[in-house]
Amino acid sequence: MDTLIYSLTFQVSDFFAFNNVVVTDSLGDGLVFLPNSARLQINGNGYILSSATINNSNIITTANANGTTSLVFNVSAEQVTRGQTAQLIGGCVDPAGSAAPDCSSYNDGLTQGVITFQAVISNAFRNRTPALVELGDTLTNTVNIRGAVLNTGTFAPTGNSATDSSSANVTIVQPNLQKVVYAINGSTTLPSPVVMRPGDRVTYRVTYQLPSTDYSNLALTDFLPLPAFNITELTTFTSTPTSTIPPAGVMQYGPSNTITGTSPAITTPTLSITATSNSWRLDFGTYNDSANQNRRIDLLFTVTTTDQPFADRLMFSNLVNSVQGSSSAIEANSIAQIRLLEPALNIRKGVVSNSLAGSLPPSVSLLSAPSCARLSGTVNSSNVISGFSANLSLADAADRVTFAIVVENTGSSTAFDVTVSDTLPSNMTFVPGTLCVQDGTGASMTYSGAEANLFTQGITLTDPGPTSSTLGLGSLDPGRDSAGTVITNGRNIAIFVFDATLNNTVRPSQTLTNVAGLLNYAAID
């Protein structure tokens, strides 16, 4: 119920004179004129009328059927009431009469009048359905002035008139919608940019500031990004405000919420889930606060990042939308961005026999079976490119060849359930007891099943690895940190080394192809 002060300023041309000057103001629906608030001041030609209340007999107030209010201010009559003539004479017109006004011979300056009045913003419209005046509504005000033109020599009516118009609109202040990432795994200390990994519990905060608690059909809708989140996890809404972080699948009022505890009580909103759009919707219905108090909706909800495959380090934008309104719809949007960190594994294979120069990275040497680890020295993401890719030529029957399979995690999240297989050609035979698996630091890695499984269903590295960090406790650590910087400690690399012999059935110039495969890896255990 704010009070507005309108100012209607009108001026008379230096070379004209008028009487019967009337100002008509059309006050829009939703605005109520305050009686006895209208005032008039005039800087006239040869006189000044100071600002004073306009006599009620010189104001006609009419409530129209369309909800507007017409205010007719009879300026000329008010001048007479205050002891002046009904004329408004331009500054270069001599009050004694001047058939040809000349500013060089007579100039009294600007002739101007100002009408001010007050109007109150109502809680309801008089002629709208529904009638509630609410946030975002626009209230109009138009004004028109009309006067009879006088002869500047005799001040007799010429039979002509002049008009002018203006307008001013007022929009009720709109609510403010914001969405942010509030916590990751229960911690409100967040990195910049905010990052998440598969299995992380992400708590979002949605706030909606209502300058006045007047709304109709208010609904908040949040579209969670796929495939990072599955909206069907969110099943519960708790209407008790709390500062604790909700568990996964729960939405609640946050610590700054003031929408509850009103009188009459606001109905608990209804939470609905739409799986096809991966979104939730919270319906608040309609509410009218006669005191027009400033209140805040504060929501916290927690969802779990899924393990669905996705590219590493992509940004996800999470959009929340608000819609309310009856007389006019108000829509607002807010976006919270978060970077998804994923494992990203690649595989390479080569012959690493000592006789082949360049098949191993610098400072890395091969040890003979059955020792494990088979490699000495650190293999990391900075030197792995320089080795493990050589082929073998001029081999002969009964030769023993050492192969290495390298699996590298170049992603920004831990890899679990890493499963690798190898397919030997028919003219090669695995040498039992020679398989050794180690990470890039040289630490031995354990795996499921027997070593011979490498050549059938594959073997799976044990989680966690021997030197894995506490981040995820998988077999292969991230190859990049949250800022995207390459990590070179070797914990993101697994190396499978084994020997095989060429059978006596090989033929001259025959090509034997040995294929390794990365069968599986996961983002969570």
Short mmCIF file of all heavy atoms in Angstrom, two decimals, residues 158-183:
data_model
loop_
_atom_site.label_atom_id
_atom_site.label_comp_id
_atom_site.label_asym_id
_atom_site.label_seq_id
_atom_site.Cartn_x
_atom_site.Cartn_y
_atom_site.Cartn_z
N THR A 158 -10.81 33.18 -29.21
CA THR A 158 -10.67 33.06 -30.66
C THR A 158 -11.56 31.96 -31.21
O THR A 158 -11.68 31.83 -32.44
CB THR A 158 -9.21 32.74 -31.03
OG1 THR A 158 -8.86 31.45 -30.49
CG2 THR A 158 -8.26 33.80 -30.49
N GLY A 159 -12.13 31.16 -30.34
CA GLY A 159 -12.91 30.01 -30.79
C GLY A 159 -12.08 28.75 -30.96
O GLY A 159 -12.62 27.67 -31.22
N ASN A 160 -10.79 28.87 -30.80
CA ASN A 160 -9.90 27.71 -30.91
C ASN A 160 -9.50 27.21 -29.52
O ASN A 160 -9.63 27.93 -28.52
CB ASN A 160 -8.64 28.08 -31.69
CG ASN A 160 -8.94 28.48 -33.12
OD1 ASN A 160 -9.81 27.90 -33.76
ND2 ASN A 160 -8.23 29.50 -33.62
N SER A 161 -9.04 26.02 -29.49
CA SER A 161 -8.54 25.44 -28.23
C SER A 161 -7.25 24.66 -28.51
O SER A 161 -6.97 24.30 -29.66
CB SER A 161 -9.58 24.53 -27.59
OG SER A 161 -9.87 23.42 -28.44
N ALA A 162 -6.49 24.41 -27.47
CA ALA A 162 -5.24 23.64 -27.59
C ALA A 162 -5.24 22.54 -26.53
O ALA A 162 -5.78 22.73 -25.42
CB ALA A 162 -4.03 24.56 -27.41
N THR A 163 -4.68 21.40 -26.89
CA THR A 163 -4.62 20.26 -25.96
C THR A 163 -3.22 19.66 -25.97
O THR A 163 -2.45 19.83 -26.91
CB THR A 163 -5.63 19.16 -26.35
OG1 THR A 163 -5.28 18.64 -27.63
CG2 THR A 163 -7.05 19.70 -26.37
N ASP A 164 -2.92 18.92 -24.93
CA ASP A 164 -1.68 18.15 -24.85
C ASP A 164 -1.93 17.01 -23.87
O ASP A 164 -2.88 17.04 -23.08
CB ASP A 164 -0.51 19.03 -24.38
CG ASP A 164 0.84 18.39 -24.71
OD1 ASP A 164 0.85 17.37 -25.43
OD2 ASP A 164 1.87 18.90 -24.24
N SER A 165 -1.08 15.97 -23.93
CA SER A 165 -1.29 14.81 -23.07
C SER A 165 0.06 14.21 -22.66
O SER A 165 1.10 14.47 -23.28
CB SER A 165 -2.14 13.74 -23.78
OG SER A 165 -1.50 13.29 -24.95
N SER A 166 0.00 13.40 -21.64
CA SER A 166 1.19 12.71 -21.16
C SER A 166 0.74 11.50 -20.35
O SER A 166 -0.47 11.30 -20.12
CB SER A 166 2.05 13.66 -20.30
OG SER A 166 3.26 13.02 -19.93
N SER A 167 1.70 10.68 -19.93
CA SER A 167 1.35 9.49 -19.15
C SER A 167 2.55 9.07 -18.30
O SER A 167 3.69 9.43 -18.59
CB SER A 167 0.92 8.33 -20.05
OG SER A 167 1.99 7.92 -20.87
N ALA A 168 2.27 8.28 -17.28
CA ALA A 168 3.32 7.71 -16.43
C ALA A 168 2.79 6.40 -15.86
O ALA A 168 1.66 6.35 -15.36
CB ALA A 168 3.70 8.67 -15.30
N ASN A 169 3.59 5.34 -15.97
CA ASN A 169 3.19 4.03 -15.46
C ASN A 169 4.06 3.65 -14.27
O ASN A 169 5.23 4.03 -14.18
CB ASN A 169 3.31 2.96 -16.55
CG ASN A 169 2.36 3.20 -17.70
OD1 ASN A 169 1.30 3.81 -17.54
ND2 ASN A 169 2.74 2.74 -18.87
N VAL A 170 3.49 2.86 -13.40
CA VAL A 170 4.20 2.34 -12.23
C VAL A 170 4.08 0.82 -12.24
O VAL A 170 2.97 0.29 -12.38
CB VAL A 170 3.62 2.90 -10.91
CG1 VAL A 170 4.23 2.19 -9.72
CG2 VAL A 170 3.86 4.40 -10.83
N THR A 171 5.21 0.12 -12.13
CA THR A 171 5.21 -1.34 -12.06
C THR A 171 5.54 -1.78 -10.65
O THR A 171 6.55 -1.35 -10.07
CB THR A 171 6.24 -1.94 -13.04
OG1 THR A 171 5.89 -1.55 -14.38
CG2 THR A 171 6.24 -3.47 -12.96
N ILE A 172 4.66 -2.60 -10.10
CA ILE A 172 4.91 -3.13 -8.76
C ILE A 172 6.21 -3.91 -8.79
O ILE A 172 6.49 -4.68 -9.72
CB ILE A 172 3.75 -4.03 -8.29
CG1 ILE A 172 2.42 -3.29 -8.43
CG2 ILE A 172 3.97 -4.49 -6.86
CD1 ILE A 172 2.30 -2.08 -7.59
N VAL A 173 7.06 -3.73 -7.77
CA VAL A 173 8.37 -4.37 -7.74
C VAL A 173 8.24 -5.88 -7.93
O VAL A 173 7.31 -6.50 -7.43
CB VAL A 173 9.08 -4.05 -6.41
CG1 VAL A 173 8.32 -4.60 -5.22
CG2 VAL A 173 10.51 -4.58 -6.43
N GLN A 174 9.16 -6.45 -8.69
CA GLN A 174 9.10 -7.87 -8.99
C GLN A 174 9.96 -8.67 -8.03
O GLN A 174 10.93 -8.16 -7.46
CB GLN A 174 9.57 -8.13 -10.43
CG GLN A 174 8.67 -7.48 -11.47
CD GLN A 174 8.87 -8.08 -12.85
OE1 GLN A 174 9.37 -9.18 -12.99
NE2 GLN A 174 8.46 -7.36 -13.87
N PRO A 175 9.63 -9.95 -7.84
CA PRO A 175 10.43 -10.80 -6.95
C PRO A 175 11.79 -11.10 -7.58
O PRO A 175 11.99 -10.93 -8.78
CB PRO A 175 9.58 -12.07 -6.81
CG PRO A 175 8.73 -12.09 -8.05
CD PRO A 175 8.46 -10.66 -8.40
N ASN A 176 12.69 -11.57 -6.74
CA ASN A 176 14.05 -11.89 -7.18
C ASN A 176 14.30 -13.38 -6.98
O ASN A 176 14.15 -13.90 -5.88
CB ASN A 176 15.07 -11.06 -6.40
CG ASN A 176 16.50 -11.35 -6.81
OD1 ASN A 176 17.18 -12.14 -6.17
ND2 ASN A 176 16.95 -10.73 -7.89
N LEU A 177 14.68 -14.06 -8.07
CA LEU A 177 14.92 -15.50 -8.04
C LEU A 177 16.40 -15.77 -8.22
O LEU A 177 17.04 -15.24 -9.12
CB LEU A 177 14.12 -16.17 -9.17
CG LEU A 177 14.30 -17.68 -9.35
CD1 LEU A 177 13.72 -18.45 -8.16
CD2 LEU A 177 13.65 -18.14 -10.65
N GLN A 178 16.95 -16.63 -7.35
CA GLN A 178 18.36 -17.00 -7.46
C GLN A 178 18.55 -18.48 -7.16
O GLN A 178 17.82 -19.06 -6.34
CB GLN A 178 19.21 -16.18 -6.48
CG GLN A 178 19.41 -14.74 -6.88
CD GLN A 178 20.45 -14.05 -6.01
OE1 GLN A 178 20.64 -14.39 -4.85
NE2 GLN A 178 21.14 -13.06 -6.58
N LYS A 179 19.54 -19.08 -7.85
CA LYS A 179 19.89 -20.46 -7.58
C LYS A 179 21.40 -20.59 -7.53
O LYS A 179 22.11 -20.04 -8.37
CB LYS A 179 19.32 -21.39 -8.66
CG LYS A 179 19.68 -22.86 -8.38
CD LYS A 179 18.97 -23.80 -9.31
CE LYS A 179 19.25 -25.24 -8.88
NZ LYS A 179 18.56 -26.21 -9.73
N VAL A 180 21.90 -21.31 -6.52
CA VAL A 180 23.33 -21.52 -6.37
C VAL A 180 23.56 -22.95 -5.90
O VAL A 180 22.66 -23.63 -5.41
CB VAL A 180 23.95 -20.55 -5.34
CG1 VAL A 180 23.83 -19.12 -5.80
CG2 VAL A 180 23.33 -20.74 -3.96
N VAL A 181 24.80 -23.42 -6.09
CA VAL A 181 25.22 -24.67 -5.47
C VAL A 181 25.57 -24.35 -4.02
O VAL A 181 26.42 -23.49 -3.76
CB VAL A 181 26.42 -25.29 -6.21
CG1 VAL A 181 26.88 -26.56 -5.50
CG2 VAL A 181 26.06 -25.58 -7.66
N TYR A 182 24.92 -25.02 -3.09
CA TYR A 182 25.05 -24.69 -1.67
C TYR A 182 26.09 -25.57 -0.98
O TYR A 182 26.84 -25.09 -0.12
CB TYR A 182 23.69 -24.86 -0.98
CG TYR A 182 23.67 -24.48 0.47
CD1 TYR A 182 23.78 -23.15 0.86
CD2 TYR A 182 23.51 -25.45 1.47
CE1 TYR A 182 23.74 -22.79 2.21
CE2 TYR A 182 23.48 -25.10 2.81
CZ TYR A 182 23.59 -23.77 3.17
OH TYR A 182 23.55 -23.42 4.50
N ALA A 183 26.16 -26.84 -1.35
CA ALA A 183 27.09 -27.76 -0.68
C ALA A 183 27.39 -28.94 -1.59
O ALA A 183 26.57 -29.32 -2.44
CB ALA A 183 26.51 -28.25 0.65
#
